[in-house]
Amino acid sequence: MKDYIKDSKFLNENAIEFGNGRIEAILIPALGSNLLSLKSKKKGIELLRTPKTLADYNKAPILYGMPILFPPNRIEDGIFTYKETTYTFPINEGEKHNHIHGFLHDKPWKVLKKEVSEEGIVIITEFLSKDFPDLYKYFPRDFKVNMTYSLLEEEMNIKMEIHNMGSESFPWGAGYHTIFNFPLVPESTYLDCQIDMPVNTQWELNERSLPTGKFTRMDMGEIQKRLVGEGRKYDDIFSHDAVNNSINEAILTDTKAGMQVRYQADQYFKYWVLFNKAGFLCPEPYTWLTNAPNLDIPAEITGLQELPPGETIQLNTKLTVKEI
């Protein structure tokens, strides 16, 4: 089947349905430019956790599809100061008194481009801070974010570009809360599944799920052992030091389903958060360590970075779907 893009409805929202003979995807611009569905057409397998109804989605929007995080994860007490500017975010994790996951994933985005060419499918969406004046209360900077989704055969390349549109620098961190069905099919069990990541460090968290600054070296095999053997629940932070020059990727394999998803991230994504509950698993690539601006740790370790006026940062990830 040839590449295609078509307008449709999903969860009563305008949706962009696109695909080819191997992959079909659904993007919802109005719901945070969320890639809510990614399906293997030949196998008929939905890889992402996709809501059945809008009511299901509204109960926990962050637990479906591929929410865009800016900034990612938790900010202690919802506040930090960077170079004499204080950034104050709403407390949306009340029991731990944190802000969590930023403000891009629940806002409507604009569609700039939908195109099918010889190089595959390209869809570009845009978020402009000036379209949301209320944001200045907690992020007093002008910026723009563009998302580019490019599908060619079984590869989905996802590019995030953050543009500083103002006259002052600002600190930034970004990530994705990508929620995979895991196991990939209902008839599989965790014994049929495996997750591999090139990480060798686990960060200690306090009772508020914030890093203490301490860490332990570990073997990735321990994650697999605990995930499968003990059914452990994760909400943990890991990092890598270019382990054995390995590719920075999470690999999800379901042998009974005969499917594998390779989730690759570029060099900016130093951290992976692993979060799971019954039926799903989230390998979350982050550019900074949770609560980075409030940690007494050098920025070159935490991943805290600054974007000067007029400049742009480009972040690249890739999802590759393969039959095994």
Side-chain angles (χ1 to χ4, degrees):
M1 180 182 290
K2 294 182 179 180
D3 294 343
Y4 62 90
I5 299 176
K6 61 182 180 181
D7 294 329
S8 63
K9 286 284 187 178
F10 190 78
L11 304 182
N12 297 322
E13 296 283 356
N14 292 328
I16 303 171
E17 187 176 323
F18 60 104
N20 51 39
R22 303 182 183 188
I23 300 295
E24 184 169 83
I26 298 175
L27 181 73
I28 316 293
L31 299 180
S33 191
N34 195 337
L35 188 72
L36 269 179
S37 174
L38 183 68
K39 185 180 292 185
S40 166
K41 293 183 72 174
K42 184 174 181 180
K43 291 274 190 174
I45 295 174
E46 176 60 70
L47 303 171
L48 296 176
R49 187 171 189 254
T50 300
K52 292 182 173 60
T53 66
L54 184 59
D56 289 341
Y57 176 83
N58 286 334
K59 289 177 185 176
I62 203 71
L63 294 182
Y64 293 102
M66 191 176 180
I68 300 163
L69 309 183
F70 180 86
N73 215 287
R74 295 172 172 89
I75 301 295
E76 184 177 7
D77 299 321
I79 190 169
F80 68 83
T81 299
Y82 184 83
K83 293 191 173 179
E84 301 182 352
T85 297
T86 297
Y87 299 81
T88 305
F89 300 86
I91 301 298
N92 55 6
E93 191 183 36
E95 71 278 11
K96 297 181 180 180
H97 205 259
N98 298 317
H99 172 79
I100 188 167
H101 293 329
F103 46 81
L104 295 188
H105 63 85
D106 60 354
K107 305 287 190 303
W109 291 51
K110 297 175 181 177
V111 179
L112 297 188
K113 182 177 183 179
K114 296 182 293 182
E115 179 180 274
V116 177
S117 70
E118 293 181 357
E119 286 73 41
I121 297 167
V122 175
I123 298 170
I124 301 177
T125 59
E126 182 175 84
F127 180 95
L128 282 170
S129 63
K130 69 178 183 180
D131 291 340
F132 302 91
D134 286 350
L135 289 183
Y136 290 99
K137 293 184 296 187
Y138 44 91
F139 199 85
R141 295 290 183 263
D142 289 310
F143 67 95
K144 176 176 69 173
V145 181
N146 290 114
M147 294 296 302
T148 302
Y149 305 85
S150 304
L151 179 63
L152 179 63
E153 297 182 347
E154 74 274 11
E155 290 187 357
M156 176 81 76
N157 286 280
I158 300 171
K159 178 172 65 177
M160 180 192 299
E161 294 173 293
I162 305 168
H163 312 263
N164 187 340
M165 308 292 286
S167 58
E168 298 183 65
S169 299
F170 60 75
W172 66 272
Y176 300 99
H177 199 272
T178 311
I179 307 99
F180 292 99
N181 290 317
F182 199 73
L184 293 176
V185 292
E187 54 268 29
S188 296
T189 71
Y190 279 121
L191 296 176
D192 302 306
C193 299
Q194 182 169 326
I195 174 146
D196 297 291
M197 292 190 294
V199 295
N200 63 356
T201 302
Q202 181 171 1
W203 291 80
E204 180 184 84
L205 304 180
N206 63 20
E207 68 281 357
R208 295 172 62 187
S209 300
L210 300 169
T212 65
K214 298 178 181 179
F215 58 84
T216 57
R217 297 294 184 181
M218 45 78 71
D219 183 345
M220 183 60 208
E222 286 300 305
I223 294 179
Q224 178 63 16
K225 178 181 176 182
R226 285 179 281 173
L227 185 69
V228 174
E230 300 176 19
R232 179 174 185 255
K233 300 303 180 186
Y234 278 89
D235 192 1
D236 296 282
I237 304 171
F238 302 94
S239 58
H240 62 92
D241 302 318
V243 183
N244 299 322
N245 295 315
S246 56
I247 296 172
N248 184 27
E249 65 181 351
I251 306 172
L252 280 67
T253 305
D254 184 331
T255 55
K256 181 170 283 189
M259 293 294 299
Q260 184 179 84
V261 181
R262 305 181 76 97
Y263 189 5
Q264 190 171 332
D266 70 19
Q267 74 278 5
Y268 286 106
F269 293 94
K270 296 182 177 182
Y271 294 91
W272 289 88
V273 168
L274 193 62
F275 172 66
N276 71 323
K277 287 188 178 181
F280 69 84
L281 177 70
C282 308
E284 307 169 37
Y286 289 178
T287 64
W288 78 15
L289 180 61
T290 295
N291 199 35
N294 289 318
L295 297 176
D296 188 19
I297 302 174
E300 58 266 25
I301 296 176
T302 66
L304 174 63
Q305 297 184 66
E306 175 182 295
L307 190 61
E311 293 197 10
T312 298
I313 192 74
Q314 178 177 304
L315 311 173
N316 293 287
T317 55
K318 180 169 67 175
L319 292 168
T320 304
V321 180
K322 289 188 173 292
E323 297 178 31
I324 56 172

